[in-house]
């Protein structure tokens, strides 16, 4: 096993025993990136000098006995929709080309305070709108398991970087599945925390009531360590949760004995690949053997959750993206009036998927259509929450595939927005509900592509969620690594 | 259910200066998406609550205390055009 294959936990043990240094870890991932980036394009921007400087500081602190926690000295990557002071942040949009934020997002501050070493900013679908990372204005990312395929999205760059060993752990954002789906498609762990537990301050907003930052990691325990570093109440985010936080590590070794696990009836059948369905069914059987009680649960509103999502998310996006007008930052087109300047700036600066969603959201909110579309979608959202509340009266967690398919080929769905949207059919309900969920890799399909297992829990149910995920990880014993065709430096 | 969209009006509301060909393409795509999205109208029954915040939060205000803000020059350095501490834009109102 090479250094870049180590988990955060294993690398941390080596750091603390003195058998490696943060500088060595950083050099290893930078070397890995230099040999894989031409094939993967996981990063938009690698901050080599900044990383080596932070690593030297982390090493000096450890030498003095100062330990900032599980990510101290660990090389990490951030999705490029999180503001980093002094480091270009574009959200993969032309409209933000050259934008250098004057402040750090709260998660960035927390990562720095936790001693993590930022390697670079990762590629995403423009403003996190997409499921393949092909909507980036700076070119697509590719899947380490097959460079002819996409890594999922929108946090595809973060997923590809972690899967390839170019970062030990990374942050993504999940509005409809944008952490969990790419994690599933690249064979790593991806987790969306309970809404409100990770600050959105400094996250470039897509759909504020759905957006949530979370980890993409090589193991369930790494994801817990990353989550612990970034979450907590933040007065700078008015939706931040200020109550008592659960302990994601408390149940990591508890197993599933005596737990009741619900298999979601609606997340199966037409459109689901047979290899995905059989791998998920096999894991459910293993969980049963490990002592869990298995029941089938029906959540009828899941069938229309996606329709509600594709009204609510674009509606919020159309309002959030109004700030990109060519006046205060980013790209500006010429115009003889302010309105002309704005309309030209936005048409030039936004890519097609962003334009599509802004138009869709504007329409859904416009006079005469509000009740039929946006208002009705909000009712569906409430109904999804009620469906879940009912389900959790009789089960501890719910399970399903994370994605109905394995990674698809680059270019396959670019011109079919609806078929691209279907990639998130299993993950969207958790965003509508605000509940936590995680994807854990459980195996490969017949073509050697990773399959993810989706575990869902009630709001603030991170303890049981991580506990079940850890058991899934143990039972699956998934230790395959992608073989990326490597070019010489 | 085919959905009729006045796409030029929507683009104007969204401040997007699109060509006729682009408008037509988006009109067709939005029609397909909205046809799918219209499935929300098939919701049976009425939920007992309107969905706002998943954890049932209410609006919160921070303490009204004086704190340092972002550096003005650093913020204005990101602006396409600025002058004397202000953002510069073309005329926003038509003259009489």
């Amino acid at each position: 096993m090479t250094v870049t294959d180590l988990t955060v936990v294993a690398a941390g043990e080596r750091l603390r025993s003195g058998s490696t240094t943060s500088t060595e870890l950083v050099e290893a991932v930078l070397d890995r990136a230099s040999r894989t980036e031409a094939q993967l394009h996981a990063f938009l921007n690698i901050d080599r000098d900044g990383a080596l400087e932070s690593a030297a500081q982390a090493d000096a602190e450890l030498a003095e006995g100062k330990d900032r926690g599980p990510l101290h000295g660990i090389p990490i990557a951030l999705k490029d929709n999180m503001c980093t002071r002094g480091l270009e942040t574009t959200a993969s949009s032309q409209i933000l080309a050259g934008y250098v934020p004057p402040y750090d997002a709260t998660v960035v501050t927390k990562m720095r305070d936790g001693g993590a070493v930022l390697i670079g900013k990762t590629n995403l679908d423009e403003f996190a709108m997409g499921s393949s990372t092909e909507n980036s204005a700076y070119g697509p990312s590719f899947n380490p398991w097959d460079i002819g395929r996409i890594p999922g999205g929108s946090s595809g760059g973060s997923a590809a970087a972690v899967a390839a060993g170019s970062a030990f752990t990374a942050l993504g954002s999940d509005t409809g599945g944008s952490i969990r789906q790419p994690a599933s498609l690249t064979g790593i762990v991806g987790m969306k925390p309970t809404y409100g537990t990770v600050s959105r301050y400094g996250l470039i907003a897509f759909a504020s009531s759905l957006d949530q930052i979370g980890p993409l990691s090589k193991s369930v325990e790494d994801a817990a360590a990353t989550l612990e570093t970034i979450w907590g109440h933040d007065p700078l985010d008015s939706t931040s949760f200020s109550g008592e936080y659960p302990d994601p590590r408390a149940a990591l070794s508890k197993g599933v004995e005596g737990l009741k696990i619900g298999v979601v009836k609606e997340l199966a059948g037409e459109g689901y690949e047979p290899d995905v369905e059989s791998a998920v069914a096999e894991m459910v059987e293993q969980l049963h053997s490990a002592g869990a009680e298995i029941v089938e649960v029906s959540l009828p509103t899941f069938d229309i959750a996606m329709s509600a999502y594709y009204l609510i998310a674009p509606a919020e996006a159309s309002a959030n993206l109004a700030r990109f007008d060519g006046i205060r930052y980013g790209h500006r087109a010429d115009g003889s009036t302010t309105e002309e300047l704005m309309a030209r700036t936005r048409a030039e600066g936004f890519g097609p998927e962003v334009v599509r969603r802004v138009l869709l959201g504007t329409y859904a909110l416009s006079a005469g259509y509000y009740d039929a579309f946006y208002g009705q979608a909000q009712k569906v959202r409430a109904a999804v929450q009620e469906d879940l509340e009912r389900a959790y009266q009789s089960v501890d967690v719910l399970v399903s595939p994370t994605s109905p398919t394995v990674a698809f080929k680059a270019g396959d769905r670019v011109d079919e927005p609806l078929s691209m949207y279907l990639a998130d059919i299993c993950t969207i309900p958790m965003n509508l509900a605000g509940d936590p969920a995680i994807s854990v890799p459980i195996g490969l399909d017949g073509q050697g592509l990773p399959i993810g297992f989706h575990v869902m829990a009630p709001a603030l149910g991170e303890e049981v969620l991580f506990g079940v995920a850890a058991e899934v990880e143990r039972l699956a014993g998934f230790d395959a690594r992608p073989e990326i065709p490597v070019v010489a430096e | 259910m085919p959905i009729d969209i006045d796409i030029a009006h929507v683009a104007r509301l969204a401040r997007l200066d699109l060509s006729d060909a682009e408008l037509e393409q988006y009109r067709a795509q939005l029609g397909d998406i909205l046809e799918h999205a219209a499935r929300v109208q098939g919701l049976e029954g009425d939920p007992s609550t309107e969905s706002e915040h998943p954890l049932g939060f209410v609006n919160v205000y921070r303490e009204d205390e004086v704190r340092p803000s972002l550096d003005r020059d650093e913020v204005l350095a990101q602006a396409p055009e600025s002058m004397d501490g202000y953002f510069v834009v073309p005329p926003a109102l038509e003259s009489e």
Side-chain angles (χ1 to χ4, degrees), chain A residues 85 98-103 194-196 209 235-236 238-241 301 303-304 306-308 310-311 326-332 335-339 341-344 346-347 350-352 355-356 358-360 362-363 366 369 372-373 376-383 385-386 415 417-418 421-422 432-434 459-460, chain B residues 1 3-19 22-23 25-27 29-55 57-63 67 70-71 74-82 87-94:
Chain A
R85 182 170 188 164
Y99 173 63
V100 180
Y103 69 104
T194 300
Y195 183 83
S209 78
L236 298 174
S238 68
T239 59
S240 179
F241 175 63
T301 55
D303 282 338
I304 50 174
M306 197 186 96
S307 297
Y310 277 100
L311 293 166
I327 292 176
R328 288 152 300 166
Y329 35 67
H331 175 71
R332 171 184 282 196
S336 56
T337 65
T338 301
E339 183 177 337
L341 177 152
M342 287 179 178
R344 285 185 182 169
R346 291 162 61 79
F350 289 150
V355 169
R356 195 150 43 230
V358 167
L359 289 170
L360 185 57
T362 304
Y363 175 84
S366 61
Y369 304 100
F373 288 107
Q376 189 63 23
Q378 287 290 58
K379 283 185 183 169
V380 170
R381 182 174 191 174
Q385 290 168 352
E386 289 184 5
D415 297 322
L418 254 180
Y421 295 173
L422 285 166
L432 293 176
L460 299 172
Chain B
M1 182 182 71
I3 291 167
D4 189 34
I5 305 161
D6 182 353
I7 194 74
H9 174 64
V10 177
R12 168 83 205 282
L13 290 175
R15 299 291 186 270
L16 286 162
D17 180 27
L18 302 171
S19 70
E22 286 170 321
L23 286 173
Q25 190 197 338
Y26 287 119
R27 192 192 59 74
Q29 287 173 341
L30 256 59
D32 288 346
I33 297 166
L34 284 166
E35 218 174 304
H36 195 274
R39 294 171 62 201
V40 295
Q41 287 146 12
L43 176 70
E44 285 172 25
D46 235 353
S48 54
T49 53
E50 274 285 305
S51 168
E52 283 168 6
H53 190 286
L55 296 178
F57 290 179
V58 291
N59 197 21
V60 293
Y61 298 95
R62 66 168 169 78
E63 293 302 312
R67 283 182 311 190
L70 297 175
D71 181 76
E74 201 179 342
V75 171
L76 285 171
Q78 293 300 319
E81 198 180 345
S82 67
F87 297 107
V88 175
V89 294
L93 300 169
E94 311 262 338

Side-chain angles (χ1 to χ4, degrees), chain A residues 134-446:
Chain A
E134 292 171 290
N135 294 336
S136 168
Y138 305 101
S141 297
F142 297 97
N143 194 314
W145 293 85
D146 177 350
I147 58 171
R149 292 172 191 266
I150 54 84
S154 65
S155 311
S158 283
V162 172
S166 305
F168 283 80
T169 185
L171 297 186
S173 61
D174 191 313
T175 305
S178 280
I179 290 172
R180 293 162 286 158
Q181 183 258 12
S184 175
L185 271 44
T186 57
I188 62 171
V189 174
M191 191 260 169
K192 184 198 90 73
T194 300
Y195 183 83
T197 59
V198 178
S199 172
R200 292 182 294 104
Y201 178 74
L203 172 70
I204 296 173
F206 161 15
S208 305
S209 78
L210 303 162
D211 296 343
Q212 194 60 185
I213 297 172
L216 294 107
S217 308
K218 294 176 193 165
S219 73
V220 172
E221 193 177 354
D222 280 7
T226 307
L227 178 62
E228 279 178 334
T229 305
I230 59 167
W231 74 354
H233 178 249
D234 179 13
L236 298 174
D237 173 357
S238 68
T239 59
S240 179
F241 175 63
S242 58
E244 194 178 332
Y245 281 63
D247 179 359
R249 287 176 188 272
L252 281 180
S253 52
K254 267 193 187 161
V256 292
E257 181 89 53
L259 288 183
K260 214 162 163 184
I261 295 177
V263 180
V264 181
K265 178 172 166 255
E266 283 74 16
L267 301 180
E270 198 192 334
Y272 288 77
E273 287 176 353
D275 282 1
V276 171
E277 291 210 293
S278 61
V280 167
E282 194 184 320
M283 176 51 64
V284 168
E285 192 48 49
Q286 283 180 279
L287 287 165
H288 179 63
S289 302
E293 186 186 338
I294 309 292
V295 290
E296 188 183 68
V297 176
S298 176
L299 296 111
T301 55
F302 276 29
D303 282 338
I304 50 174
M306 197 186 96
S307 297
Y309 175 84
Y310 277 100
L311 293 166
I312 293 168
E316 293 186 20
S318 71
N320 273 326
L321 270 58
R323 62 171 61 92
F324 300 105
D325 54 13
I327 292 176
R328 288 152 300 166
Y329 35 67
H331 175 71
R332 171 184 282 196
D334 287 334
S336 56
T337 65
T338 301
E339 183 177 337
E340 191 176 78
L341 177 152
M342 287 179 178
R344 285 185 182 169
T345 295
R346 291 162 61 79
E348 286 179 12
F350 289 150
E353 182 61 23
V354 175
V355 169
R356 195 150 43 230
R357 295 204 199 185
V358 167
L359 289 170
L360 185 57
T362 304
Y363 175 84
L365 291 174
S366 61
Y369 304 100
Y370 182 96
D371 289 341
F373 288 107
Y374 184 75
Q376 189 63 23
Q378 287 290 58
K379 283 185 183 169
V380 170
R381 182 174 191 174
V384 167
Q385 290 168 352
E386 289 184 5
D387 248 7
L388 281 163
E389 269 169 44
R390 229 178 345 261
Y392 288 129
Q393 281 167 11
S394 58
V395 299
D396 296 291
V397 296
L398 295 166
V399 299
S400 74
T402 307
S403 161
T405 71
V406 295
F408 40 93
K409 288 191 172 133
D412 261 12
R413 302 192 191 181
V414 176
D415 297 322
E416 297 167 42
L418 254 180
S419 108
M420 188 72 91
Y421 295 173
L422 285 166
D424 291 328
I425 197 154
C426 303
T427 48
I428 278 172
M430 295 302 103
N431 299 84
L432 293 176
D435 291 349
I438 192 166
S439 178
V440 181
I442 52 169
L444 302 175
D445 79 342

